[in-house]
Amino acid sequence: MRAARLIRMALLIQSSPGLTAASLARELGVSERTVIRDAQALQEAGVPVLAERGRTGGYRLAPGHRTRLTTLHPTEAETLYLSGLPTVLRDLGLSGPAETARLKLSATLLPSLRAAAEASVRRFHLDAPDWFREPSVPELLPELARAVWSDRAVELAYARPGRDGAAPRSVIRLLEPYGLVLKAGVWYVVGRVPGERPGRGGAWRTYRVDRVTALSPAPGADEPFVREPSFDLAAHWRDHADGFARALLRATVTVRLTERGLRRLPAVVDPAGAGEALASASAPDPAGRVTLDLPVESDDVAFAQLTCLGAEVEVLAPPGLRARFREHAQALAALYGAEPEDQR
């Protein structure tokens, strides 16, 4: 276990000179104290790891030194091929270059390793979108991906959802796009809005790519923007995903649920909203029904989600949404109140 970690640490230092103890600790899943001990162990094993202090310091290998630890193990070759996600690469417009890179990599592997790597592709496939959902590729995704790759600031128009059922409104943002995230079949762009917080370099924002309606180079941005060296996309997403999901829930509906409806609620609405609502639910009434305030994205989304529960849910507020359910129930009663006509 430790030997594998030391090899990985040496390769990280070689590929990214200047990594700090904190950065290496995050990458390796250990403490900074362990990183320091491992660096000493590498030095004792003959790997010339240098630790430089100061603002621009970090761990480096001695000038001219390169490790000889790049031979792949069969299991490593297998997992390397599993990292290729064909649908993601296709969405980003990179399927052609990725296939070329795969062929070049195959040509460099020993025959035994090549067979192990190709076997993994035949045995595993990642299908990212949810069930019963037709995945759609946002039209502007490839163009936005090119801006991410080239560190080019963009000006985008974004359809921000309205509150309490109001129509979306378009907002214009200057954005330094740092990365793209695919979550449950939905693409998001994470970036920094420069100047939104004076003196702090800008505010971090996350936008759904399918709500970006227009995209163009930022006015006057002739050069790539300077990326924040400490920014870690995966860590940023982990830290902010829950807050971002909660921020999408801009409206609240009051509902009364049967015991069965209460059990099914997390399966039909946003999990973040369901968890918050269940934590503050009322005690069951004599009929066993529970009343709670449910955060939702909008009245339209709530209507689509809660109709899945049928008679297991009663919408109490807002009045407009309750009226929509009443009309829906009346339409169903009229439709099913009589025997169907013979259509033959």
Side-chain angles (χ1 to χ4, degrees), residues 147-165:
V148 170
W149 278 114
S150 59
D151 293 337
R152 293 287 181 174
V154 296
E155 182 178 79
L156 57 83
Y158 184 77
R160 173 179 288 175
R163 293 182 179 274
D164 300 322

mmCIF file with all atom_site columns, all heavy atoms in Angstrom, residues 147-165:
data_model
loop_
_atom_site.group_PDB
_atom_site.id
_atom_site.type_symbol
_atom_site.label_atom_id
_atom_site.label_alt_id
_atom_site.label_comp_id
_atom_site.label_asym_id
_atom_site.label_entity_id
_atom_site.label_seq_id
_atom_site.pdbx_PDB_ins_code
_atom_site.Cartn_x
_atom_site.Cartn_y
_atom_site.Cartn_z
_atom_site.occupancy
_atom_site.B_iso_or_equiv
_atom_site.pdbx_formal_charge
_atom_site.auth_seq_id
_atom_site.auth_comp_id
_atom_site.auth_asym_id
_atom_site.auth_atom_id
_atom_site.pdbx_PDB_model_num
ATOM 1   N N   . ALA A 1 147 ? -13.323 27.029 -24.989 1.00 0.00 ? 147 ALA A N   1
ATOM 2   C CA  . ALA A 1 147 ? -12.935 28.154 -24.136 1.00 0.00 ? 147 ALA A CA  1
ATOM 3   C C   . ALA A 1 147 ? -12.287 27.662 -22.847 1.00 0.00 ? 147 ALA A C   1
ATOM 4   O O   . ALA A 1 147 ? -11.333 28.270 -22.346 1.00 0.00 ? 147 ALA A O   1
ATOM 5   C CB  . ALA A 1 147 ? -14.163 29.019 -23.824 1.00 0.00 ? 147 ALA A CB  1
ATOM 6   N N   . VAL A 1 148 ? -12.794 26.542 -22.307 1.00 0.00 ? 148 VAL A N   1
ATOM 7   C CA  . VAL A 1 148 ? -12.197 25.968 -21.096 1.00 0.00 ? 148 VAL A CA  1
ATOM 8   C C   . VAL A 1 148 ? -10.772 25.503 -21.376 1.00 0.00 ? 148 VAL A C   1
ATOM 9   O O   . VAL A 1 148 ? -9.840  25.770 -20.606 1.00 0.00 ? 148 VAL A O   1
ATOM 10  C CB  . VAL A 1 148 ? -13.060 24.805 -20.570 1.00 0.00 ? 148 VAL A CB  1
ATOM 11  C CG1 . VAL A 1 148 ? -12.330 24.043 -19.469 1.00 0.00 ? 148 VAL A CG1 1
ATOM 12  C CG2 . VAL A 1 148 ? -14.400 25.328 -20.046 1.00 0.00 ? 148 VAL A CG2 1
ATOM 13  N N   . TRP A 1 149 ? -10.576 24.793 -22.502 1.00 0.00 ? 149 TRP A N   1
ATOM 14  C CA  . TRP A 1 149 ? -9.256  24.280 -22.836 1.00 0.00 ? 149 TRP A CA  1
ATOM 15  C C   . TRP A 1 149 ? -8.249  25.404 -23.045 1.00 0.00 ? 149 TRP A C   1
ATOM 16  O O   . TRP A 1 149 ? -7.074  25.281 -22.688 1.00 0.00 ? 149 TRP A O   1
ATOM 17  C CB  . TRP A 1 149 ? -9.329  23.427 -24.110 1.00 0.00 ? 149 TRP A CB  1
ATOM 18  C CG  . TRP A 1 149 ? -9.789  22.025 -23.898 1.00 0.00 ? 149 TRP A CG  1
ATOM 19  C CD1 . TRP A 1 149 ? -10.947 21.471 -24.347 1.00 0.00 ? 149 TRP A CD1 1
ATOM 20  C CD2 . TRP A 1 149 ? -9.117  20.980 -23.190 1.00 0.00 ? 149 TRP A CD2 1
ATOM 21  N NE1 . TRP A 1 149 ? -11.053 20.157 -23.952 1.00 0.00 ? 149 TRP A NE1 1
ATOM 22  C CE2 . TRP A 1 149 ? -9.934  19.835 -23.241 1.00 0.00 ? 149 TRP A CE2 1
ATOM 23  C CE3 . TRP A 1 149 ? -7.908  20.915 -22.516 1.00 0.00 ? 149 TRP A CE3 1
ATOM 24  C CZ2 . TRP A 1 149 ? -9.575  18.624 -22.647 1.00 0.00 ? 149 TRP A CZ2 1
ATOM 25  C CZ3 . TRP A 1 149 ? -7.539  19.717 -21.916 1.00 0.00 ? 149 TRP A CZ3 1
ATOM 26  C CH2 . TRP A 1 149 ? -8.372  18.586 -21.996 1.00 0.00 ? 149 TRP A CH2 1
ATOM 27  N N   . SER A 1 150 ? -8.689  26.496 -23.659 1.00 0.00 ? 150 SER A N   1
ATOM 28  C CA  . SER A 1 150 ? -7.755  27.570 -24.028 1.00 0.00 ? 150 SER A CA  1
ATOM 29  C C   . SER A 1 150 ? -7.695  28.690 -23.003 1.00 0.00 ? 150 SER A C   1
ATOM 30  O O   . SER A 1 150 ? -6.995  29.683 -23.230 1.00 0.00 ? 150 SER A O   1
ATOM 31  C CB  . SER A 1 150 ? -8.151  28.148 -25.398 1.00 0.00 ? 150 SER A CB  1
ATOM 32  O OG  . SER A 1 150 ? -9.491  28.667 -25.360 1.00 0.00 ? 150 SER A OG  1
ATOM 33  N N   . ASP A 1 151 ? -8.424  28.558 -21.864 1.00 0.00 ? 151 ASP A N   1
ATOM 34  C CA  . ASP A 1 151 ? -8.431  29.589 -20.823 1.00 0.00 ? 151 ASP A CA  1
ATOM 35  C C   . ASP A 1 151 ? -8.851  30.942 -21.393 1.00 0.00 ? 151 ASP A C   1
ATOM 36  O O   . ASP A 1 151 ? -8.226  31.976 -21.134 1.00 0.00 ? 151 ASP A O   1
ATOM 37  C CB  . ASP A 1 151 ? -7.056  29.707 -20.152 1.00 0.00 ? 151 ASP A CB  1
ATOM 38  C CG  . ASP A 1 151 ? -6.691  28.470 -19.345 1.00 0.00 ? 151 ASP A CG  1
ATOM 39  O OD1 . ASP A 1 151 ? -7.612  27.742 -18.937 1.00 0.00 ? 151 ASP A OD1 1
ATOM 40  O OD2 . ASP A 1 151 ? -5.491  28.232 -19.135 1.00 0.00 ? 151 ASP A OD2 1
ATOM 41  N N   . ARG A 1 152 ? -9.931  30.957 -22.153 1.00 0.00 ? 152 ARG A N   1
ATOM 42  C CA  . ARG A 1 152 ? -10.430 32.186 -22.750 1.00 0.00 ? 152 ARG A CA  1
ATOM 43  C C   . ARG A 1 152 ? -11.704 32.639 -22.037 1.00 0.00 ? 152 ARG A C   1
ATOM 44  O O   . ARG A 1 152 ? -12.663 31.867 -21.886 1.00 0.00 ? 152 ARG A O   1
ATOM 45  C CB  . ARG A 1 152 ? -10.748 31.973 -24.229 1.00 0.00 ? 152 ARG A CB  1
ATOM 46  C CG  . ARG A 1 152 ? -9.508  31.695 -25.082 1.00 0.00 ? 152 ARG A CG  1
ATOM 47  C CD  . ARG A 1 152 ? -8.681  32.945 -25.272 1.00 0.00 ? 152 ARG A CD  1
ATOM 48  N NE  . ARG A 1 152 ? -7.506  32.684 -26.101 1.00 0.00 ? 152 ARG A NE  1
ATOM 49  C CZ  . ARG A 1 152 ? -6.669  33.630 -26.529 1.00 0.00 ? 152 ARG A CZ  1
ATOM 50  N NH1 . ARG A 1 152 ? -6.905  34.891 -26.199 1.00 0.00 ? 152 ARG A NH1 1
ATOM 51  N NH2 . ARG A 1 152 ? -5.627  33.312 -27.251 1.00 0.00 ? 152 ARG A NH2 1
ATOM 52  N N   . ALA A 1 153 ? -11.710 33.880 -21.584 1.00 0.00 ? 153 ALA A N   1
ATOM 53  C CA  . ALA A 1 153 ? -12.908 34.434 -20.957 1.00 0.00 ? 153 ALA A CA  1
ATOM 54  C C   . ALA A 1 153 ? -14.010 34.584 -22.007 1.00 0.00 ? 153 ALA A C   1
ATOM 55  O O   . ALA A 1 153 ? -13.732 34.844 -23.183 1.00 0.00 ? 153 ALA A O   1
ATOM 56  C CB  . ALA A 1 153 ? -12.599 35.777 -20.318 1.00 0.00 ? 153 ALA A CB  1
ATOM 57  N N   . VAL A 1 154 ? -15.253 34.402 -21.583 1.00 0.00 ? 154 VAL A N   1
ATOM 58  C CA  . VAL A 1 154 ? -16.391 34.473 -22.506 1.00 0.00 ? 154 VAL A CA  1
ATOM 59  C C   . VAL A 1 154 ? -17.466 35.392 -21.936 1.00 0.00 ? 154 VAL A C   1
ATOM 60  O O   . VAL A 1 154 ? -17.499 35.677 -20.732 1.00 0.00 ? 154 VAL A O   1
ATOM 61  C CB  . VAL A 1 154 ? -16.998 33.078 -22.764 1.00 0.00 ? 154 VAL A CB  1
ATOM 62  C CG1 . VAL A 1 154 ? -16.009 32.162 -23.452 1.00 0.00 ? 154 VAL A CG1 1
ATOM 63  C CG2 . VAL A 1 154 ? -17.500 32.448 -21.463 1.00 0.00 ? 154 VAL A CG2 1
ATOM 64  N N   . GLU A 1 155 ? -18.320 35.846 -22.823 1.00 0.00 ? 155 GLU A N   1
ATOM 65  C CA  . GLU A 1 155 ? -19.535 36.552 -22.424 1.00 0.00 ? 155 GLU A CA  1
ATOM 66  C C   . GLU A 1 155 ? -20.702 35.637 -22.772 1.00 0.00 ? 155 GLU A C   1
ATOM 67  O O   . GLU A 1 155 ? -20.832 35.212 -23.921 1.00 0.00 ? 155 GLU A O   1
ATOM 68  C CB  . GLU A 1 155 ? -19.667 37.885 -23.161 1.00 0.00 ? 155 GLU A CB  1
ATOM 69  C CG  . GLU A 1 155 ? -20.893 38.686 -22.748 1.00 0.00 ? 155 GLU A CG  1
ATOM 70  C CD  . GLU A 1 155 ? -20.980 40.017 -23.459 1.00 0.00 ? 155 GLU A CD  1
ATOM 71  O OE1 . GLU A 1 155 ? -21.410 40.016 -24.637 1.00 0.00 ? 155 GLU A OE1 1
ATOM 72  O OE2 . GLU A 1 155 ? -20.617 41.048 -22.864 1.00 0.00 ? 155 GLU A OE2 1
ATOM 73  N N   . LEU A 1 156 ? -21.497 35.290 -21.782 1.00 0.00 ? 156 LEU A N   1
ATOM 74  C CA  . LEU A 1 156 ? -22.601 34.370 -22.040 1.00 0.00 ? 156 LEU A CA  1
ATOM 75  C C   . LEU A 1 156 ? -23.933 34.973 -21.611 1.00 0.00 ? 156 LEU A C   1
ATOM 76  O O   . LEU A 1 156 ? -24.000 35.785 -20.673 1.00 0.00 ? 156 LEU A O   1
ATOM 77  C CB  . LEU A 1 156 ? -22.368 33.019 -21.358 1.00 0.00 ? 156 LEU A CB  1
ATOM 78  C CG  . LEU A 1 156 ? -22.152 32.952 -19.841 1.00 0.00 ? 156 LEU A CG  1
ATOM 79  C CD1 . LEU A 1 156 ? -23.488 32.962 -19.097 1.00 0.00 ? 156 LEU A CD1 1
ATOM 80  C CD2 . LEU A 1 156 ? -21.382 31.694 -19.476 1.00 0.00 ? 156 LEU A CD2 1
ATOM 81  N N   . ALA A 1 157 ? -24.958 34.572 -22.332 1.00 0.00 ? 157 ALA A N   1
ATOM 82  C CA  . ALA A 1 157 ? -26.337 34.894 -21.948 1.00 0.00 ? 157 ALA A CA  1
ATOM 83  C C   . ALA A 1 157 ? -26.928 33.655 -21.312 1.00 0.00 ? 157 ALA A C   1
ATOM 84  O O   . ALA A 1 157 ? -26.810 32.548 -21.853 1.00 0.00 ? 157 ALA A O   1
ATOM 85  C CB  . ALA A 1 157 ? -27.146 35.325 -23.169 1.00 0.00 ? 157 ALA A CB  1
ATOM 86  N N   . TYR A 1 158 ? -27.573 33.840 -20.171 1.00 0.00 ? 158 TYR A N   1
ATOM 87  C CA  . TYR A 1 158 ? -28.037 32.707 -19.370 1.00 0.00 ? 158 TYR A CA  1
ATOM 88  C C   . TYR A 1 158 ? -29.501 32.912 -19.012 1.00 0.00 ? 158 TYR A C   1
ATOM 89  O O   . TYR A 1 158 ? -29.899 33.992 -18.550 1.00 0.00 ? 158 TYR A O   1
ATOM 90  C CB  . TYR A 1 158 ? -27.194 32.611 -18.086 1.00 0.00 ? 158 TYR A CB  1
ATOM 91  C CG  . TYR A 1 158 ? -27.513 31.426 -17.200 1.00 0.00 ? 158 TYR A CG  1
ATOM 92  C CD1 . TYR A 1 158 ? -27.068 30.156 -17.525 1.00 0.00 ? 158 TYR A CD1 1
ATOM 93  C CD2 . TYR A 1 158 ? -28.252 31.581 -16.031 1.00 0.00 ? 158 TYR A CD2 1
ATOM 94  C CE1 . TYR A 1 158 ? -27.333 29.068 -16.715 1.00 0.00 ? 158 TYR A CE1 1
ATOM 95  C CE2 . TYR A 1 158 ? -28.518 30.504 -15.212 1.00 0.00 ? 158 TYR A CE2 1
ATOM 96  C CZ  . TYR A 1 158 ? -28.064 29.242 -15.560 1.00 0.00 ? 158 TYR A CZ  1
ATOM 97  O OH  . TYR A 1 158 ? -28.342 28.175 -14.753 1.00 0.00 ? 158 TYR A OH  1
ATOM 98  N N   . ALA A 1 159 ? -30.319 31.891 -19.252 1.00 0.00 ? 159 ALA A N   1
ATOM 99  C CA  . ALA A 1 159 ? -31.746 31.953 -18.910 1.00 0.00 ? 159 ALA A CA  1
ATOM 100 C C   . ALA A 1 159 ? -31.929 31.552 -17.461 1.00 0.00 ? 159 ALA A C   1
ATOM 101 O O   . ALA A 1 159 ? -31.983 30.369 -17.137 1.00 0.00 ? 159 ALA A O   1
ATOM 102 C CB  . ALA A 1 159 ? -32.548 31.046 -19.835 1.00 0.00 ? 159 ALA A CB  1
ATOM 103 N N   . ARG A 1 160 ? -31.994 32.529 -16.572 1.00 0.00 ? 160 ARG A N   1
ATOM 104 C CA  . ARG A 1 160 ? -32.131 32.249 -15.141 1.00 0.00 ? 160 ARG A CA  1
ATOM 105 C C   . ARG A 1 160 ? -33.591 31.920 -14.822 1.00 0.00 ? 160 ARG A C   1
ATOM 106 O O   . ARG A 1 160 ? -34.487 32.686 -15.165 1.00 0.00 ? 160 ARG A O   1
ATOM 107 C CB  . ARG A 1 160 ? -31.687 33.454 -14.313 1.00 0.00 ? 160 ARG A CB  1
ATOM 108 C CG  . ARG A 1 160 ? -31.944 33.311 -12.830 1.00 0.00 ? 160 ARG A CG  1
ATOM 109 C CD  . ARG A 1 160 ? -31.455 34.525 -12.061 1.00 0.00 ? 160 ARG A CD  1
ATOM 110 N NE  . ARG A 1 160 ? -30.009 34.558 -12.007 1.00 0.00 ? 160 ARG A NE  1
ATOM 111 C CZ  . ARG A 1 160 ? -29.332 35.575 -11.474 1.00 0.00 ? 160 ARG A CZ  1
ATOM 112 N NH1 . ARG A 1 160 ? -29.969 36.622 -10.992 1.00 0.00 ? 160 ARG A NH1 1
ATOM 113 N NH2 . ARG A 1 160 ? -28.000 35.532 -11.443 1.00 0.00 ? 160 ARG A NH2 1
ATOM 114 N N   . PRO A 1 161 ? -33.851 30.783 -14.149 1.00 0.00 ? 161 PRO A N   1
ATOM 115 C CA  . PRO A 1 161 ? -35.244 30.425 -13.815 1.00 0.00 ? 161 PRO A CA  1
ATOM 116 C C   . PRO A 1 161 ? -35.886 31.488 -12.933 1.00 0.00 ? 161 PRO A C   1
ATOM 117 O O   . PRO A 1 161 ? -35.246 32.065 -12.046 1.00 0.00 ? 161 PRO A O   1
ATOM 118 C CB  . PRO A 1 161 ? -35.091 29.095 -13.054 1.00 0.00 ? 161 PRO A CB  1
ATOM 119 C CG  . PRO A 1 161 ? -33.758 28.565 -13.470 1.00 0.00 ? 161 PRO A CG  1
ATOM 120 C CD  . PRO A 1 161 ? -32.892 29.766 -13.708 1.00 0.00 ? 161 PRO A CD  1
ATOM 121 N N   . GLY A 1 162 ? -37.167 31.760 -13.190 1.00 0.00 ? 162 GLY A N   1
ATOM 122 C CA  . GLY A 1 162 ? -37.891 32.732 -12.379 1.00 0.00 ? 162 GLY A CA  1
ATOM 123 C C   . GLY A 1 162 ? -38.350 32.126 -11.065 1.00 0.00 ? 162 GLY A C   1
ATOM 124 O O   . GLY A 1 162 ? -38.444 30.909 -10.913 1.00 0.00 ? 162 GLY A O   1
ATOM 125 N N   . ARG A 1 163 ? -38.648 32.976 -10.120 1.00 0.00 ? 163 ARG A N   1
ATOM 126 C CA  . ARG A 1 163 ? -39.142 32.522 -8.820  1.00 0.00 ? 163 ARG A CA  1
ATOM 127 C C   . ARG A 1 163 ? -40.657 32.384 -8.846  1.00 0.00 ? 163 ARG A C   1
ATOM 128 O O   . ARG A 1 163 ? -41.359 33.147 -9.503  1.00 0.00 ? 163 ARG A O   1
ATOM 129 C CB  . ARG A 1 163 ? -38.735 33.511 -7.720  1.00 0.00 ? 163 ARG A CB  1
ATOM 130 C CG  . ARG A 1 163 ? -37.227 33.559 -7.464  1.00 0.00 ? 163 ARG A CG  1
ATOM 131 C CD  . ARG A 1 163 ? -36.908 34.524 -6.333  1.00 0.00 ? 163 ARG A CD  1
ATOM 132 N NE  . ARG A 1 163 ? -35.489 34.583 -6.043  1.00 0.00 ? 163 ARG A NE  1
ATOM 133 C CZ  . ARG A 1 163 ? -34.853 33.754 -5.232  1.00 0.00 ? 163 ARG A CZ  1
ATOM 134 N NH1 . ARG A 1 163 ? -35.529 32.793 -4.620  1.00 0.00 ? 163 ARG A NH1 1
ATOM 135 N NH2 . ARG A 1 163 ? -33.550 33.853 -5.023  1.00 0.00 ? 163 ARG A NH2 1
ATOM 136 N N   . ASP A 1 164 ? -41.140 31.375 -8.087  1.00 0.00 ? 164 ASP A N   1
ATOM 137 C CA  . ASP A 1 164 ? -42.581 31.170 -7.906  1.00 0.00 ? 164 ASP A CA  1
ATOM 138 C C   . ASP A 1 164 ? -43.323 31.108 -9.237  1.00 0.00 ? 164 ASP A C   1
ATOM 139 O O   . ASP A 1 164 ? -44.373 31.719 -9.421  1.00 0.00 ? 164 ASP A O   1
ATOM 140 C CB  . ASP A 1 164 ? -43.175 32.276 -7.025  1.00 0.00 ? 164 ASP A CB  1
ATOM 141 C CG  . ASP A 1 164 ? -42.546 32.309 -5.648  1.00 0.00 ? 164 ASP A CG  1
ATOM 142 O OD1 . ASP A 1 164 ? -42.261 31.226 -5.107  1.00 0.00 ? 164 ASP A OD1 1
ATOM 143 O OD2 . ASP A 1 164 ? -42.326 33.412 -5.121  1.00 0.00 ? 164 ASP A OD2 1
ATOM 144 N N   . GLY A 1 165 ? -42.752 30.374 -10.185 1.00 0.00 ? 165 GLY A N   1
ATOM 145 C CA  . GLY A 1 165 ? -43.443 30.163 -11.451 1.00 0.00 ? 165 GLY A CA  1
ATOM 146 C C   . GLY A 1 165 ? -43.256 31.265 -12.467 1.00 0.00 ? 165 GLY A C   1
ATOM 147 O O   . GLY A 1 165 ? -43.817 31.182 -13.564 1.00 0.00 ? 165 GLY A O   1
#
